[in-house]
mmCIF file of all heavy atoms in Angstrom:
data_model
loop_
_atom_site.group_PDB
_atom_site.id
_atom_site.type_symbol
_atom_site.label_atom_id
_atom_site.label_comp_id
_atom_site.label_asym_id
_atom_site.label_seq_id
_atom_site.Cartn_x
_atom_site.Cartn_y
_atom_site.Cartn_z
ATOM 1 N N MET A 1 0.835 -1.201 -0.001
ATOM 2 C CA MET A 1 0.001 -0.009 0.001
ATOM 3 C C MET A 1 0.874 1.257 -0.004
ATOM 4 O O MET A 1 1.819 1.363 0.716
ATOM 5 C CB MET A 1 -0.908 -0.028 1.255
ATOM 6 C CG MET A 1 -1.723 1.225 1.465
ATOM 7 S SD MET A 1 -2.875 1.526 0.130
ATOM 8 C CE MET A 1 -3.338 3.220 0.513
ATOM 9 N N ALA A 2 0.505 2.251 -0.801
ATOM 10 C CA ALA A 2 1.289 3.496 -0.904
ATOM 11 C C ALA A 2 0.544 4.612 -0.146
ATOM 12 O O ALA A 2 -0.682 4.621 -0.029
ATOM 13 C CB ALA A 2 1.466 3.923 -2.366
ATOM 14 N N GLN A 3 1.298 5.618 0.353
ATOM 15 C CA GLN A 3 0.700 6.757 1.030
ATOM 16 C C GLN A 3 0.388 7.856 0.039
ATOM 17 O O GLN A 3 1.273 8.586 -0.383
ATOM 18 C CB GLN A 3 1.669 7.303 2.084
ATOM 19 C CG GLN A 3 1.880 6.370 3.274
ATOM 20 C CD GLN A 3 2.537 7.053 4.397
ATOM 21 O OE1 GLN A 3 2.146 8.125 4.826
ATOM 22 N NE2 GLN A 3 3.586 6.465 4.929
ATOM 23 N N ASN A 4 -0.903 7.956 -0.361
ATOM 24 C CA ASN A 4 -1.273 8.913 -1.366
ATOM 25 C C ASN A 4 -2.316 9.915 -0.871
ATOM 26 O O ASN A 4 -2.337 11.063 -1.310
ATOM 27 C CB ASN A 4 -1.864 8.188 -2.621
ATOM 28 C CG ASN A 4 -0.809 7.394 -3.358
ATOM 29 O OD1 ASN A 4 0.277 7.918 -3.597
ATOM 30 N ND2 ASN A 4 -1.099 6.166 -3.706
ATOM 31 N N ALA A 5 -3.213 9.476 -0.004
ATOM 32 C CA ALA A 5 -4.354 10.332 0.324
ATOM 33 C C ALA A 5 -4.072 11.200 1.534
ATOM 34 O O ALA A 5 -3.171 10.985 2.297
ATOM 35 C CB ALA A 5 -5.531 9.377 0.639
ATOM 36 N N THR A 6 -4.924 12.246 1.654
ATOM 37 C CA THR A 6 -4.649 13.185 2.718
ATOM 38 C C THR A 6 -5.890 13.450 3.611
ATOM 39 O O THR A 6 -5.723 14.026 4.697
ATOM 40 C CB THR A 6 -4.193 14.551 2.145
ATOM 41 O OG1 THR A 6 -5.173 15.005 1.198
ATOM 42 C CG2 THR A 6 -2.860 14.375 1.415
ATOM 43 N N ALA A 7 -7.079 13.126 3.173
ATOM 44 C CA ALA A 7 -8.291 13.402 3.988
ATOM 45 C C ALA A 7 -8.416 12.350 5.071
ATOM 46 O O ALA A 7 -8.576 11.163 4.780
ATOM 47 C CB ALA A 7 -9.554 13.419 3.119
ATOM 48 N N HIS A 8 -8.318 12.758 6.330
ATOM 49 C CA HIS A 8 -8.289 11.837 7.443
ATOM 50 C C HIS A 8 -9.657 11.344 7.862
ATOM 51 O O HIS A 8 -10.627 12.073 7.745
ATOM 52 C CB HIS A 8 -7.553 12.452 8.629
ATOM 53 C CG HIS A 8 -6.202 12.957 8.348
ATOM 54 N ND1 HIS A 8 -5.366 12.405 7.379
ATOM 55 C CD2 HIS A 8 -5.489 13.969 8.919
ATOM 56 C CE1 HIS A 8 -4.233 13.064 7.355
ATOM 57 N NE2 HIS A 8 -4.280 14.051 8.252
ATOM 58 N N ASP A 9 -9.689 10.179 8.441
ATOM 59 C CA ASP A 9 -10.879 9.759 9.195
ATOM 60 C C ASP A 9 -10.993 10.696 10.411
ATOM 61 O O ASP A 9 -9.996 11.231 10.891
ATOM 62 C CB ASP A 9 -10.775 8.328 9.654
ATOM 63 C CG ASP A 9 -11.232 7.324 8.587
ATOM 64 O OD1 ASP A 9 -11.144 7.669 7.390
ATOM 65 O OD2 ASP A 9 -11.650 6.222 8.944
ATOM 66 N N SER A 10 -12.204 10.842 10.908
ATOM 67 C CA SER A 10 -12.387 11.806 12.030
ATOM 68 C C SER A 10 -13.629 11.383 12.822
ATOM 69 O O SER A 10 -14.329 10.422 12.508
ATOM 70 C CB SER A 10 -12.581 13.248 11.472
ATOM 71 O OG SER A 10 -13.698 13.291 10.611
ATOM 72 N N ILE A 11 -13.899 12.138 13.908
ATOM 73 C CA ILE A 11 -15.106 11.962 14.716
ATOM 74 C C ILE A 11 -16.047 13.120 14.439
ATOM 75 O O ILE A 11 -15.606 14.301 14.400
ATOM 76 C CB ILE A 11 -14.791 11.896 16.214
ATOM 77 C CG1 ILE A 11 -13.862 10.680 16.492
ATOM 78 C CG2 ILE A 11 -16.033 11.787 17.012
ATOM 79 C CD1 ILE A 11 -14.462 9.300 16.194
ATOM 80 N N LYS A 12 -17.316 12.847 14.259
ATOM 81 C CA LYS A 12 -18.290 13.868 13.800
ATOM 82 C C LYS A 12 -18.492 14.977 14.818
ATOM 83 O O LYS A 12 -18.612 16.132 14.448
ATOM 84 C CB LYS A 12 -19.604 13.192 13.467
ATOM 85 C CG LYS A 12 -20.632 14.143 12.829
ATOM 86 C CD LYS A 12 -21.856 13.367 12.349
ATOM 87 C CE LYS A 12 -22.756 12.900 13.487
ATOM 88 N NZ LYS A 12 -23.436 14.036 14.120
ATOM 89 N N ASP A 13 -18.520 14.628 16.132
ATOM 90 C CA ASP A 13 -18.919 15.628 17.121
ATOM 91 C C ASP A 13 -17.896 15.790 18.233
ATOM 92 O O ASP A 13 -17.154 14.836 18.545
ATOM 93 C CB ASP A 13 -20.237 15.199 17.787
ATOM 94 C CG ASP A 13 -21.364 15.019 16.781
ATOM 95 O OD1 ASP A 13 -21.828 16.011 16.211
ATOM 96 O OD2 ASP A 13 -21.750 13.849 16.527
ATOM 97 N N VAL A 14 -17.883 16.973 18.845
ATOM 98 C CA VAL A 14 -17.120 17.216 20.054
ATOM 99 C C VAL A 14 -18.079 17.045 21.243
ATOM 100 O O VAL A 14 -19.205 17.576 21.195
ATOM 101 C CB VAL A 14 -16.517 18.644 20.053
ATOM 102 C CG1 VAL A 14 -15.862 18.948 21.381
ATOM 103 C CG2 VAL A 14 -15.520 18.777 18.912
ATOM 104 N N LEU A 15 -17.648 16.316 22.255
ATOM 105 C CA LEU A 15 -18.465 16.060 23.422
ATOM 106 C C LEU A 15 -18.110 16.939 24.610
ATOM 107 O O LEU A 15 -17.001 17.519 24.617
ATOM 108 C CB LEU A 15 -18.384 14.566 23.806
ATOM 109 C CG LEU A 15 -18.765 13.588 22.701
ATOM 110 C CD1 LEU A 15 -18.678 12.188 23.203
ATOM 111 C CD2 LEU A 15 -20.119 13.884 22.104
ATOM 112 N N THR A 16 -18.987 17.014 25.598
ATOM 113 C CA THR A 16 -18.776 17.854 26.790
ATOM 114 C C THR A 16 -18.837 16.988 28.037
ATOM 115 O O THR A 16 -19.651 16.059 28.146
ATOM 116 C CB THR A 16 -19.825 18.972 26.851
ATOM 117 O OG1 THR A 16 -19.749 19.765 25.673
ATOM 118 C CG2 THR A 16 -19.575 19.861 28.080
ATOM 119 N N GLU A 17 -17.961 17.299 28.993
ATOM 120 C CA GLU A 17 -17.971 16.617 30.261
ATOM 121 C C GLU A 17 -19.365 16.518 30.882
ATOM 122 O O GLU A 17 -20.131 17.517 30.847
ATOM 123 C CB GLU A 17 -17.035 17.361 31.230
ATOM 124 C CG GLU A 17 -17.000 16.773 32.641
ATOM 125 C CD GLU A 17 -16.166 17.593 33.586
ATOM 126 O OE1 GLU A 17 -15.767 18.714 33.250
ATOM 127 O OE2 GLU A 17 -15.858 17.077 34.690
ATOM 128 N N GLY A 18 -19.678 15.357 31.450
ATOM 129 C CA GLY A 18 -20.949 15.194 32.137
ATOM 130 C C GLY A 18 -22.112 14.894 31.226
ATOM 131 O O GLY A 18 -23.243 14.675 31.724
ATOM 132 N N VAL A 19 -21.901 14.879 29.900
ATOM 133 C CA VAL A 19 -23.020 14.656 28.980
ATOM 134 C C VAL A 19 -22.697 13.494 28.088
ATOM 135 O O VAL A 19 -21.691 13.469 27.408
ATOM 136 C CB VAL A 19 -23.258 15.913 28.101
ATOM 137 C CG1 VAL A 19 -24.403 15.690 27.128
ATOM 138 C CG2 VAL A 19 -23.517 17.138 28.974
ATOM 139 N N ALA A 20 -23.549 12.474 28.102
ATOM 140 C CA ALA A 20 -23.402 11.347 27.187
ATOM 141 C C ALA A 20 -23.696 11.846 25.775
ATOM 142 O O ALA A 20 -24.454 12.794 25.576
ATOM 143 C CB ALA A 20 -24.323 10.225 27.554
ATOM 144 N N GLY A 21 -23.094 11.200 24.765
ATOM 145 C CA GLY A 21 -23.321 11.684 23.401
ATOM 146 C C GLY A 21 -23.373 10.580 22.385
ATOM 147 O O GLY A 21 -22.717 9.524 22.504
ATOM 148 N N TYR A 22 -24.142 10.880 21.341
ATOM 149 C CA TYR A 22 -24.154 10.024 20.141
ATOM 150 C C TYR A 22 -23.336 10.724 19.087
ATOM 151 O O TYR A 22 -23.535 11.904 18.791
ATOM 152 C CB TYR A 22 -25.600 9.834 19.635
ATOM 153 C CG TYR A 22 -26.464 8.989 20.547
ATOM 154 C CD1 TYR A 22 -27.177 9.555 21.585
ATOM 155 C CD2 TYR A 22 -26.520 7.627 20.386
ATOM 156 C CE1 TYR A 22 -27.958 8.791 22.463
ATOM 157 C CE2 TYR A 22 -27.293 6.807 21.238
ATOM 158 C CZ TYR A 22 -27.988 7.415 22.251
ATOM 159 O OH TYR A 22 -28.774 6.647 23.110
ATOM 160 N N THR A 23 -22.390 10.022 18.499
ATOM 161 C CA THR A 23 -21.571 10.599 17.465
ATOM 162 C C THR A 23 -21.273 9.527 16.399
ATOM 163 O O THR A 23 -21.958 8.497 16.368
ATOM 164 C CB THR A 23 -20.285 11.207 18.065
ATOM 165 O OG1 THR A 23 -19.553 11.881 17.070
ATOM 166 C CG2 THR A 23 -19.391 10.153 18.731
ATOM 167 N N ALA A 24 -20.269 9.733 15.596
ATOM 168 C CA ALA A 24 -19.941 8.777 14.567
ATOM 169 C C ALA A 24 -18.496 8.947 14.150
ATOM 170 O O ALA A 24 -17.939 10.031 14.172
ATOM 171 C CB ALA A 24 -20.876 8.934 13.345
ATOM 172 N N GLU A 25 -17.905 7.808 13.743
ATOM 173 C CA GLU A 25 -16.576 7.851 13.114
ATOM 174 C C GLU A 25 -16.756 8.067 11.624
ATOM 175 O O GLU A 25 -17.549 7.405 11.006
ATOM 176 C CB GLU A 25 -15.837 6.542 13.375
ATOM 177 C CG GLU A 25 -14.347 6.584 13.131
ATOM 178 C CD GLU A 25 -13.968 6.149 11.695
ATOM 179 O OE1 GLU A 25 -14.700 5.360 11.101
ATOM 180 O OE2 GLU A 25 -12.936 6.671 11.216
ATOM 181 N N VAL A 26 -16.105 9.102 11.075
ATOM 182 C CA VAL A 26 -16.268 9.464 9.702
ATOM 183 C C VAL A 26 -15.164 8.834 8.830
ATOM 184 O O VAL A 26 -13.967 9.060 9.110
ATOM 185 C CB VAL A 26 -16.228 11.006 9.513
ATOM 186 C CG1 VAL A 26 -16.428 11.397 8.054
ATOM 187 C CG2 VAL A 26 -17.228 11.679 10.414
ATOM 188 N N ILE A 27 -15.551 8.074 7.839
ATOM 189 C CA ILE A 27 -14.584 7.534 6.886
ATOM 190 C C ILE A 27 -14.428 8.512 5.751
ATOM 191 O O ILE A 27 -15.356 8.775 4.987
ATOM 192 C CB ILE A 27 -15.061 6.164 6.343
ATOM 193 C CG1 ILE A 27 -15.232 5.175 7.502
ATOM 194 C CG2 ILE A 27 -14.066 5.597 5.336
ATOM 195 C CD1 ILE A 27 -15.778 3.820 7.086
ATOM 196 N N GLY A 28 -13.244 9.108 5.643
ATOM 197 C CA GLY A 28 -13.019 10.183 4.734
ATOM 198 C C GLY A 28 -12.793 9.762 3.291
ATOM 199 O O GLY A 28 -13.164 10.435 2.341
ATOM 200 N N HIS A 29 -12.173 8.578 3.123
ATOM 201 C CA HIS A 29 -11.914 8.092 1.747
ATOM 202 C C HIS A 29 -11.560 6.637 1.816
ATOM 203 O O HIS A 29 -11.237 6.074 2.856
ATOM 204 C CB HIS A 29 -10.824 8.875 1.076
ATOM 205 C CG HIS A 29 -9.486 8.826 1.758
ATOM 206 N ND1 HIS A 29 -8.662 7.740 1.748
ATOM 207 C CD2 HIS A 29 -8.827 9.783 2.484
ATOM 208 C CE1 HIS A 29 -7.571 7.986 2.412
ATOM 209 N NE2 HIS A 29 -7.661 9.227 2.915
ATOM 210 N N GLY A 30 -11.578 5.996 0.628
ATOM 211 C CA GLY A 30 -11.182 4.599 0.514
ATOM 212 C C GLY A 30 -9.689 4.468 0.362
ATOM 213 O O GLY A 30 -8.927 5.297 0.800
ATOM 214 N N CYS A 31 -9.246 3.387 -0.244
ATOM 215 C CA CYS A 31 -7.820 3.029 -0.323
ATOM 216 C C CYS A 31 -7.317 3.296 -1.747
ATOM 217 O O CYS A 31 -7.898 2.786 -2.727
ATOM 218 C CB CYS A 31 -7.603 1.603 0.025
ATOM 219 S SG CYS A 31 -8.458 1.056 1.528
ATOM 220 N N ALA A 32 -6.267 4.087 -1.833
ATOM 221 C CA ALA A 32 -5.682 4.398 -3.138
ATOM 222 C C ALA A 32 -4.455 3.559 -3.439
ATOM 223 O O ALA A 32 -3.645 3.282 -2.547
ATOM 224 C CB ALA A 32 -5.284 5.886 -3.185
ATOM 225 N N ASN A 33 -4.338 3.121 -4.701
ATOM 226 C CA ASN A 33 -3.096 2.433 -5.114
ATOM 227 C C ASN A 33 -2.099 3.476 -5.595
ATOM 228 O O ASN A 33 -2.333 4.680 -5.494
ATOM 229 C CB ASN A 33 -3.387 1.382 -6.142
ATOM 230 C CG ASN A 33 -3.963 1.930 -7.455
ATOM 231 O OD1 ASN A 33 -3.899 3.169 -7.707
ATOM 232 N ND2 ASN A 33 -4.537 1.089 -8.255
ATOM 233 N N GLU A 34 -0.939 3.043 -6.116
ATOM 234 C CA GLU A 34 0.085 3.969 -6.516
ATOM 235 C C GLU A 34 -0.382 4.902 -7.679
ATOM 236 O O GLU A 34 0.173 5.979 -7.818
ATOM 237 C CB GLU A 34 1.359 3.199 -6.909
ATOM 238 C CG GLU A 34 2.005 2.534 -5.758
ATOM 239 C CD GLU A 34 3.318 1.798 -6.129
ATOM 240 O OE1 GLU A 34 3.638 1.792 -7.337
ATOM 241 O OE2 GLU A 34 3.958 1.252 -5.230
ATOM 242 N N ALA A 35 -1.377 4.460 -8.420
ATOM 243 C CA ALA A 35 -1.903 5.281 -9.551
ATOM 244 C C ALA A 35 -3.030 6.186 -9.053
ATOM 245 O O ALA A 35 -3.680 6.862 -9.851
ATOM 246 C CB ALA A 35 -2.414 4.362 -10.627
ATOM 247 N N LYS A 36 -3.276 6.210 -7.722
ATOM 248 C CA LYS A 36 -4.313 7.000 -7.112
ATOM 249 C C LYS A 36 -5.709 6.608 -7.589
ATOM 250 O O LYS A 36 -6.603 7.466 -7.688
ATOM 251 C CB LYS A 36 -4.062 8.514 -7.327
ATOM 252 C CG LYS A 36 -2.789 8.991 -6.634
ATOM 253 C CD LYS A 36 -2.632 10.479 -6.678
ATOM 254 C CE LYS A 36 -1.360 10.940 -5.979
ATOM 255 N NZ LYS A 36 -1.180 12.407 -5.965
ATOM 256 N N VAL A 37 -5.888 5.318 -7.852
ATOM 257 C CA VAL A 37 -7.187 4.752 -8.139
ATOM 258 C C VAL A 37 -7.748 4.202 -6.835
ATOM 259 O O VAL A 37 -7.085 3.438 -6.159
ATOM 260 C CB VAL A 37 -7.102 3.635 -9.177
ATOM 261 C CG1 VAL A 37 -8.465 2.987 -9.368
ATOM 262 C CG2 VAL A 37 -6.604 4.206 -10.509
ATOM 263 N N TYR A 38 -8.958 4.600 -6.464
ATOM 264 C CA TYR A 38 -9.515 4.263 -5.157
ATOM 265 C C TYR A 38 -10.357 3.006 -5.193
ATOM 266 O O TYR A 38 -11.047 2.731 -6.174
ATOM 267 C CB TYR A 38 -10.345 5.438 -4.613
ATOM 268 C CG TYR A 38 -9.483 6.554 -4.091
ATOM 269 C CD1 TYR A 38 -8.892 7.476 -4.973
ATOM 270 C CD2 TYR A 38 -9.224 6.687 -2.742
ATOM 271 C CE1 TYR A 38 -8.098 8.499 -4.481
ATOM 272 C CE2 TYR A 38 -8.437 7.701 -2.256
ATOM 273 C CZ TYR A 38 -7.883 8.613 -3.114
ATOM 274 O OH TYR A 38 -7.074 9.600 -2.652
ATOM 275 N N SER A 39 -10.281 2.249 -4.095
ATOM 276 C CA SER A 39 -11.096 1.084 -3.904
ATOM 277 C C SER A 39 -12.028 1.240 -2.717
ATOM 278 O O SER A 39 -11.781 2.075 -1.834
ATOM 279 C CB SER A 39 -10.207 -0.143 -3.662
ATOM 280 O OG SER A 39 -9.387 -0.424 -4.772
#
């Protein structure tokens, strides 16, 4: 696997102490090969 992409996975929301929260892990992009073709 080659390092081509730059958009990172992230978490959708910032939470606050004392408050339970619903959030999500954000998948920013798929997997690129050396030709920058994504899967």
Side-chain angles (χ1 to χ4, degrees):
M1 173 64 192
Q3 292 194 50
N4 292 313
T6 56
H8 303 330
D9 275 27
S10 59
I11 299 297
K12 186 171 75 70
D13 303 289
V14 173
L15 304 182
T16 301
E17 177 184 12
V19 180
Y22 291 89
T23 187
E25 196 268 330
V26 182
I27 301 176
H29 61 74
C31 312
N33 62 16
E34 292 183 358
K36 296 188 179 181
V37 175
Y38 283 79
S39 297

